[in-house]
């Protein structure tokens, strides 16, 4: 398959965005388009797509597919649950989201439907990365033939058989750390899990902005058993580098094959997501630590570009990079389809997006006459 970008024939791109119109992502993208001097993009609401079971685009429209999140009505239509804070229902969300993406007709996509289907299944994504030689944490659930996880008993068995006393248990179709548990086995068979999941007295699971620990195995088992019907992915918990005494990782945005933006995320818990109390670290300090460990910063960014290259028909992805202790080596934790929400963050020196935020970098790539090859129509 030819993976080189295809030129856009119209010198003035006609842009359209499938999104929730009120979302700040749309405002940031519109601002980038306006600053570039391009015509305002046509906004196609996710709610309209779901109600009409599709949407049509002109053959020369360049279509950005943005996150359907943070909209109660859209979440209800996708997940089937009236309360968007519930963790359960991610398998139904995934099936509905993939079907909705495939219902878009015409236009030229900046995100490929098949890529999105893989990116929103952590098991498949891990398998694709591993097959391409991208360094990833060990996982017994990787790929389409990975170990099925039907509940806590299967997790316990995998911990024993694969010698994984510390692992992450992740909903296969989750995002923003929803439902993720960092599980540790201690002496005497003790189990502890760190997670943002709130387990209520009636057995319901809710997303919380507070990270908590469950010290009783029966509570951990209850959470895992409730999540298992939606599909679970298991990964070895790799010890990460630290910055200022806090665990650190990086979100690296890759646009048109190049690492353009990066932010260090630090936390006192295993979950570094900024909305869960993580803090932005210092990127210069991270780069200096990498070089002090005998590695090249360009090689670190190259690992992220290698991961993004597994999805050549998608213009932009956010790559979660897990630096090893001492900043010696790194692995890829996840690749995110909608990982570009980093307001006010400007581009990396030498990355081709200096002075631009993540949205401006994408608009600039399209303005230069390039879109991901092969995104004209959804795959069957």
């Amino acid at each position: 398959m030819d993976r080189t970008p295809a030129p856009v024939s119209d010198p003035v791109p006609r842009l359209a965005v499938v999104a929730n119109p009120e979302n700040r992502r749309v405002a940031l993208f519109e601002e980038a388009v306006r600053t570039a001097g391009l015509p305002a993009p046509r906004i196609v609401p996710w709610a309209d797509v779901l109600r009409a079971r599709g949407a049509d685009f002109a053959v020369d429209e360049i279509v950005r597919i943005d996150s359907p999140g943070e909209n109660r009505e859209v979440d209800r239509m996708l997940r089937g649950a009236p309360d968007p804070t519930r963790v359960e229902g991610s398998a139904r969300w995934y099936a509905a989201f993939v079907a909705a993406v495939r219902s878009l007709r015409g236009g030229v996509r900046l995100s490929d439907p098949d890529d999105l289907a893989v990116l929103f299944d952590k098991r498949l994504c891990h398998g694709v990365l591993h097959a391409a030689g991208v360094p990833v944490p060990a996982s017994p659930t990787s790929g389409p033939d990975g170990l099925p996880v039907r509940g806590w008993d299967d997790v316990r068995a995998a911990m024993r058989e694969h010698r994984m006393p510390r692992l992450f248990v992740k909903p296969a179709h989750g995002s923003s750390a929803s439902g993720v548990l960092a599980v540790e086995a201690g002496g005497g068979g003790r189990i502890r899990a760190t997670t943002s999941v709130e387990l209520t007295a009636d057995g319901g699971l809710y997303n919380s902005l507070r990270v908590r620990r469950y010290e009783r195995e029966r509570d951990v088992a209850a959470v895992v058993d409730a999540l298992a019907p939606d599909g679970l992915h298991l990964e070895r918990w790799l010890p990460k580098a630290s910055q200022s005494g806090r665990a650190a990782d990086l979100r690296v945005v890759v646009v048109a094959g190049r690492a353009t933006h990066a932010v260090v995320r630090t936390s006192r818990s295993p979950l570094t997501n900024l909305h869960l109390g993580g803090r932005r670290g210092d990127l210069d300090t991270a780069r200096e630590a990498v070089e002090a460990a005998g590695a090249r910063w360009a090689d670190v960014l190259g690992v992220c570009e290698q991961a993004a290259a597994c999805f050549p028909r998608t213009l932009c992805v956010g790559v979660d990079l897990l630096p090893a202790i001492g900043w010696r080596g790194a692995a890829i934790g996840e690749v995110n389809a909608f990982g570009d929400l980093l307001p006010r963050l400007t581009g990396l020196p030498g990355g081709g997006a200096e002075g631009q935020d993540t949205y401006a970098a994408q608009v600039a790539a399209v303005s230069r006459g390039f879109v991901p090859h092969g995104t004209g129509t959804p795959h069957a």
Side-chain angles (χ1 to χ4, degrees):
M1 180 183 70
D2 180 9
R3 295 187 176 185
T4 58
V8 178
S9 58
D10 190 341
V12 180
R14 295 179 59 195
L15 295 166
V17 184
V18 182
N20 295 324
E22 76 286 354
N23 195 281
R24 58 178 171 162
R25 294 173 179 269
V26 174
L28 290 167
F29 185 71
E30 287 180 317
E31 180 182 355
V33 171
R34 182 171 59 252
T35 300
L38 299 176
R42 181 166 73 98
I43 310 301
V44 179
W46 271 116
D48 292 352
V49 171
L50 293 168
R51 291 192 197 98
R53 297 185 179 180
D56 293 291
F57 299 88
V59 66
D60 62 340
E61 276 189 298
I62 298 174
V63 183
R64 172 182 170 85
I65 300 173
D66 216 329
S67 171
E70 301 180 34
N71 180 293
R72 192 182 188 95
E73 179 185 10
V74 169
D75 188 78
R76 179 185 57 77
M77 287 190 281
L78 290 172
R79 191 182 301 273
D83 188 342
T85 65
R86 289 296 290 257
V87 181
E88 306 97 313
S90 60
R92 176 170 174 169
W93 181 98
Y94 173 78
F97 171 71
V98 171
V101 169
R102 296 191 190 283
S103 73
L104 305 177
R105 300 174 291 270
V108 180
R109 309 296 154 72
L110 296 180
S111 300
D112 178 72
D114 285 352
D115 282 356
L116 289 173
V118 173
L119 288 166
F120 277 99
D121 188 319
K122 298 183 194 304
R123 301 162 299 189
L124 297 180
C125 186
H126 190 284
V128 167
L129 295 173
H130 179 69
V134 177
V136 289
S139 169
T141 57
S142 179
D145 300 319
L147 176 76
V149 180
R150 294 155 295 193
W152 175 244
D153 288 345
D154 287 343
V155 174
R156 266 301 220 173
M159 294 173 72
R160 291 192 301 270
E161 294 168 12
H162 296 273
R163 298 182 179 180
M164 298 169 66
R166 302 170 81 239
L167 80 166
F168 280 92
V169 180
K170 303 179 178 182
H173 311 298
S175 60
S176 302
S178 174
V180 172
L181 296 93
V183 178
E184 311 172 72
R190 294 191 305 274
I191 291 290
R192 180 172 71 179
T194 305
T195 180
S196 63
V197 175
E198 179 183 359
L199 174 65
T200 59
D202 62 358
L205 304 182
Y206 293 85
N207 283 309
S208 169
L209 294 180
R210 182 173 71 86
V211 175
R212 66 198 69 216
R213 285 179 175 170
Y214 292 104
E215 304 279 355
R216 299 184 302 182
E217 183 170 356
R218 67 174 178 268
D219 292 333
V220 178
V223 174
V224 171
D225 287 345
L227 292 174
D230 285 319
L232 291 174
H233 176 57
L234 310 181
E235 287 183 354
R236 186 179 299 278
W237 179 346
L238 301 179
K240 289 193 293 190
S242 63
Q243 187 175 102
S244 300
R246 297 163 63 91
D249 63 17
L250 285 86
R251 165 64 58 83
V252 179
V253 176
V254 181
V255 177
R258 296 187 67 181
T260 57
H261 298 74
V263 62
V264 178
R265 306 181 302 185
T266 72
S267 176
R268 297 197 182 280
S269 87
L271 307 177
T272 59
N273 301 70
L274 298 178
H275 72 285
L276 295 177
R279 298 177 186 170
R280 288 193 183 188
D282 186 83
L283 191 62
D284 288 337
T285 300
R287 182 173 61 248
E288 291 167 1
V290 168
E291 293 170 351
R296 296 198 316 153
W297 179 247
D299 292 339
V300 171
L301 298 180
V303 173
C304 299
E305 293 174 349
Q306 182 187 3
C310 294
F311 306 96
R313 295 169 296 183
T314 293
L315 176 65
C316 174
V317 294
V319 181
D320 290 345
L321 183 81
L322 313 178
I325 287 179
W327 299 88
R328 298 179 180 88
I332 299 300
E334 296 187 12
V335 182
N336 305 272
F338 304 132
D340 54 1
L341 183 60
L342 295 169
R344 300 179 301 280
L345 182 70
T346 53
L348 293 164
E354 296 88 340
Q356 299 175 331
D357 68 10
T358 59
Y359 298 93
Q362 293 170 70
V363 172
V366 173
S367 297
R368 288 195 299 267
F370 294 93
V371 294
H373 180 71
T375 58
T377 56
H379 297 270

